[in-house]
Amino acid sequence: MKELGSAQLGWKENKTPVSGRFDDVYFSVDDGLAESLYVFVHGCGLPEAFAGKQAFNIAETGFGTGLNFLLTWQVWKESKTDCQLNYFSVEAFPLDKEELKQAYASFPDLVPFAAEFLDHYPTLNPGFHHIVLEGGKVKLTLMLGDAADMFGQLDGQIDAWYLDGFAPAKNPEMWRDDVFEQIGRLSICGSVLSTFTAAGFVKRGLRDVGFDMSKRRGFGRKRDSLIGVFDGDEKRQPAPWFSKPQKEFKKQKIAVIGAGIAGCATARRLIADGHDVTLFDRNDRAGQEGSGNRLGLVKPRLTQEGWFNVRTYLHALYYYDHLDVTPWQGARGLFQMEQDTADRLKLKLLAEKEILPPDHMRLVTAQEASALIGVSVPRGGLWFTKAGYVEPSALCQALSADMQTRFSTDITALIRHTDGWQLKSGEEVVFEGDSIVLATAGENAVLNPYSKMIMRGRRGQVSYVRATKESEKTQCPLTCGGYFIPAKNGQHIVGATFDHWPDFFDKSYREVTEQSHEKNRNKLRDYFPDMDFAVEGGRASIRAMTPDHMPIVGPVFDEAWYKEAYAHLKHGPKGKAFSDAQYVDGLYTLCGLGARGVQTAPLLADVLAAYISGTPCPLENSFREALHPARFLIRDIRKDRLT
């Protein structure tokens, strides 16, 4: 993924921001607010266009200072609409938080919006960054990178386009044909578009992708500008077997089954979106099974190509930092100790490539790590400044505290009707509504007769060890093929084992064994070869892992239909004109999170909510497809492995 460049920000005498890279202003020297309102907000018919909509999707080329976004947000709020605002903006040369703050100083009316936005401003890393504002009613997905690349990764239908960015003569990359092609791909009949330029090649390029273009009076000294309405053919998706159902947003009555971190995060997101949600679990409270460990790490699993893990990690930090009550336990920071010389070289390369920015991650020596942690460690490694640990069960209970719940309720059957779904617990009907989310980890198959979700069990046991006088000084977690967490109530947690477990329904995995304790003792000797620890207990649970270690997120598919509709894929994708995917209407799943549910669940809940609401996905399309429930079946069809 390309590195982000600098805009080379400067300032005119009247405090108007200027990009040295493009030798152009970010907004009008005369009146930036009036220009943005005239050209973009009113040019796309807002706020009137919100009427009758439950969700409205805007996309922008050139986020710049974010002025268009803040004004749109302000107009949305002043209109008192109940419509959810989803805003997608691309930027290859993002400004940092201090530069934005300086740019907003001239706009006192936008202070409350700017303050909330800056409080949520993301770490500037390439790719999608999903920001939730106004309690979930306003969502900004900031796409950092080349415009054509970023829009190529967006999946959804856009209602209105702001074509901003610097003037075509200054920044021709923003006005290329491949950008216009992506704009056409993401547009639907009636999508509107407005831009400050009246350049002929822009007008022709947009006409070529399906827009009916016309001129209107320009703002200020500009004689003309352009507006357009899409009346072309809607484009087919390149991988229809992974297509996202296109539908209008409507508020639904939804059941979420499973009150682990996946279910609780999903229920919370759906409630914020305006849905009527009930959370079900067979236990007497949330977070009692896979999410029942005393403590869990929020730490990235980095590889040179591991952008999905980077994305979920940064979003998890953002999510937990903005909860009403902090879930973080102890001090922030985490040390990943190198395992050997080869591992040291790998970690060094990751640090040099800045997979995470320097303020998030740096290479440290054994001496530096010992000073940061508070105890002596034998080797150096990576220091993650903002990583940390939470208590998963308490987190689940906090997330579910104010929602409708049905605990101690074992769901035994899903019944599909023409107008929705029923849930039964024994003979009792406990739910009737529009949609169901299965957040039931490895037991997904019990309630899903439509398709197989391939998952493998991995038993994990943690050991509780008595803290020593020296180990009590440990300030932050350590990892090295396992983990060691600072003492709480006189005990450390060390773990976890990773053993194959063939049957999710064989509950003997819960038995704490001496063999697993010994594996954890070996991990302790790696961290602290000169310390002896007494084991005082432990806990074992099971993780649901997929063959590719990626979670499963999305609509449940009908396996029989897929096998028939995509049978010719074994001859290659061009062997047949394939239909868009069909799914079991109103049935969704989020499972297979493995050992990283605390880290991945917040962003995956937003992805699932986009499927349910029919809004554009807040995660790159390549990742969305890599998470798709049907991906293993499609792989087997392509390789002619079906029996």
Side-chain angles (χ1 to χ4, degrees):
M1 193 172 289
K2 294 179 182 178
E3 294 183 5
L4 300 173
S6 168
Q8 301 170 15
L9 187 68
W11 302 89
K12 284 186 174 292
E13 292 181 5
N14 64 354
K15 299 183 180 179
T16 301
V18 181
S19 170
R21 176 182 289 273
F22 297 106
D23 188 28
D24 203 357
V25 295
Y26 279 92
F27 45 73
S28 170
V29 174
D30 299 326
D31 192 336
L33 286 180
E35 179 189 41
S36 288
L37 280 171
Y38 175 79
V39 174
F40 300 110
V41 178
H42 297 156
C44 284
L46 305 179
E48 292 78 12
F50 296 142
K53 292 264 193 180
Q54 292 198 23
F56 196 86
N57 307 320
I58 297 173
E60 176 184 43
T61 61
F63 186 75
T65 64
L67 181 60
N68 293 338
F69 168 66
L70 296 180
L71 277 170
T72 303
W73 180 6
Q74 181 186 45
V75 167
W76 170 89
K77 189 162 188 174
E78 291 174 349
S79 74
K80 301 188 185 302
T81 179
D82 193 37
C83 172
Q84 183 186 100
L85 177 62
N86 300 301
Y87 197 102
F88 298 82
S89 187
V90 69
E91 179 58 60
F93 307 99
L95 303 181
D96 64 33
K97 187 181 290 190
E98 290 305 313
E99 291 170 332
L100 291 174
K101 188 181 295 185
Q102 189 174 353
Y104 299 152
S106 301
F107 305 118
D109 290 347
L110 295 178
V111 165
F113 303 97
E116 184 174 350
F117 168 58
L118 290 173
D119 182 52
H120 290 75
Y121 196 58
T123 298
L124 298 180
N125 230 33
F128 284 28
H129 298 267
H130 189 52
I131 303 167
V132 180
L133 305 158
E134 288 279 350
K137 295 177 182 177
V138 174
K139 300 179 183 180
L140 166 66
T141 301
L142 191 55
M143 305 178 293
L144 302 182
D146 174 80
D149 292 344
M150 291 296 99
F151 284 130
Q153 288 289 341
L154 183 60
D155 188 284
Q157 297 176 329
I158 300 301
D159 297 301
W161 289 91
Y162 296 173
L163 269 58
D164 202 355
F166 298 111
K170 306 270 189 178
N171 183 21
E173 291 292 302
M174 187 67 81
W175 306 91
R176 304 192 315 255
D177 286 344
D178 53 356
V179 177
F180 297 153
E181 287 168 5
Q182 293 299 333
I183 291 170
R185 180 183 67 84
L186 294 164
S187 297
I188 55 175
C189 184
S191 295
V192 296
L193 174 152
S194 187
T195 181
F196 63 87
T197 185
F201 82 93
V202 173
K203 185 177 181 180
R204 292 188 295 274
L206 292 168
R207 277 181 173 168
D208 288 344
V209 299
F211 281 87
D212 181 11
M213 300 299 299
S214 58
K215 287 184 179 180
R216 69 191 288 240
R217 182 176 58 83
F219 178 81
R221 306 173 201 178
K222 293 179 180 176
R223 186 175 63 184
D224 298 311
S225 61
L226 294 173
I227 56 174
V229 179
F230 188 79
D231 62 359
D233 296 328
E234 294 184 18
K235 308 300 186 295
R236 287 179 52 80
Q237 299 303 313
W241 38 90
F242 294 143
S243 62
K244 185 171 168 287
Q246 304 298 347
K247 56 185 179 180
E248 287 283 333
F249 181 104
K250 70 170 186 175
K251 294 176 182 176
Q252 303 180 43
K253 187 175 182 181
I254 302 172
V256 177
I257 306 173
I261 185 61
C264 290
T266 298
R268 184 181 177 93
R269 165 53 47 228
L270 292 172
I271 290 169
D273 285 351
H275 300 292
D276 178 4
V277 179
T278 303
L279 179 67
F280 291 85
D281 197 274
R282 63 191 176 195
N283 296 285
D284 61 359
R285 60 191 185 278
Q288 295 306 292
E289 299 199 21
S291 298
N293 282 342
R294 288 184 186 176
L295 296 170
L297 298 180
V298 180
K299 167 198 174 293
R301 179 179 178 273
L302 295 183
T303 65
Q304 291 187 48
E305 301 299 330
W307 289 105
F308 173 74
N309 290 304
V310 170
R311 196 77 71 250
T312 57
Y313 170 69
L314 291 175
H315 188 81
L317 297 182
Y318 158 79
Y319 183 85
Y320 295 131
D321 284 345
H322 287 89
L323 288 179
D324 294 337
V325 178
T326 181
W328 297 111
Q329 305 288 313
R332 297 286 285 276
L334 180 146
F335 174 57
Q336 179 178 336
M337 188 170 69
E338 62 201 31
Q339 298 182 30
D340 49 33
T341 302
D343 193 44
R344 180 187 310 145
L345 294 174
K346 183 182 79 172
L347 298 184
K348 182 175 183 292
L349 185 61
L350 288 172
E352 290 172 349
K353 283 184 170 290
E354 296 189 3
I355 302 295
L356 282 172
D359 63 331
H360 276 261
M361 176 184 77
R362 68 179 189 272
L363 201 66
V364 294
T365 64
Q367 292 75 18
E368 290 170 327
S370 300
L372 288 164
I373 299 164
V375 293
S376 179
V377 291
R379 298 185 294 278
L382 288 176
W383 174 251
F384 296 97
T385 309
K386 300 183 182 183
Y389 57 106
V390 300
E391 185 179 348
S393 58
L395 173 60
C396 291
Q397 289 158 32
L399 292 176
S400 62
D402 298 324
M403 63 180 67
Q404 299 177 69
T405 56
R406 284 287 302 265
F407 292 127
S408 302
T409 303
D410 193 10
I411 302 300
T412 54
L414 277 62
I415 302 172
R416 187 183 181 191
H417 297 292
T418 55
D419 58 349
W421 292 86
Q422 280 186 343
L423 292 182
K424 295 186 75 174
S425 180
E427 295 302 312
E428 180 188 3
V429 175
V430 294
F431 173 84
E432 292 183 304
D434 304 299
S435 294
I436 294 170
V437 175
L438 301 176
T440 46
E443 297 183 25
N444 184 291
V446 173
L447 297 173
N448 172 20
Y450 302 99
S451 49
K452 292 189 289 292
M453 304 290 170
I454 302 175
M455 283 179 284
R456 300 164 178 169
R458 295 291 184 270
R459 178 185 176 275
Q461 178 176 315
V462 297
S463 301
Y464 307 142
V465 300
R466 173 56 49 185
T468 68
K469 185 176 181 181
E470 182 65 18
S471 73
E472 280 187 326
K473 299 175 185 176
T474 307
Q475 299 298 310
C476 300
L478 294 81
T479 68
C480 182
Y483 57 83
F484 178 85
I485 295 179
K488 184 176 182 180
N489 300 324
Q491 286 184 335
H492 297 286
I493 298 176
V494 60
T497 60
F498 196 80
D499 304 315
H500 291 269
W501 197 263
D503 186 358
F504 287 103
F505 302 97
D506 177 2
K507 303 301 180 183
S508 64
Y509 66 75
R510 295 171 177 167
E511 297 174 11
V512 175
T513 69
E514 178 58 31
Q515 182 182 19
S516 293
H517 279 322
E518 184 57 29
K519 290 181 180 179
N520 289 332
R521 287 191 189 96
N522 288 334
K523 292 184 175 71
L524 279 171
R525 295 184 188 106
D526 200 30
Y527 303 130
F528 308 115
D530 300 325
M531 289 191 205
D532 291 322
F533 293 91
V535 175
E536 298 184 332
R539 182 181 188 273
S541 59
I542 194 166
R543 315 175 184 99
M545 309 282 293
T546 63
D548 60 8
H549 292 205
M550 292 285 279
I552 295 173
V553 186
V556 170
F557 63 99
D558 186 319
E559 189 164 322
W561 184 92
Y562 256 70
K563 287 179 177 178
E564 181 178 351
Y566 300 126
H568 288 277
L569 262 179
K570 63 186 177 183
H571 303 304
K574 296 181 180 179
K576 189 176 185 293
F578 296 101
S579 303
D580 285 344
Q582 292 185 19
Y583 302 103
V584 181
D585 188 37
L587 186 59
Y588 304 87
T589 189
L590 174 51
C591 57
L593 278 62
R596 297 184 176 274
V598 171
Q599 177 176 313
T600 59
L603 183 55
L604 298 183
D606 284 353
V607 173
L608 191 65
Y611 274 111
I612 293 171
S613 299
T615 53
C617 185
L619 185 68
E620 289 92 325
N621 198 47
S622 56
F623 293 139
R624 184 189 68 81
E625 293 182 357
L627 299 165
H628 196 279
R631 66 186 186 269
F632 299 114
L633 178 60
I634 291 295
R635 176 199 62 189
D636 289 343
I637 292 173
R638 280 176 163 155
K639 295 185 177 182
D640 199 16
R641 291 180 179 172
L642 297 183
T643 56

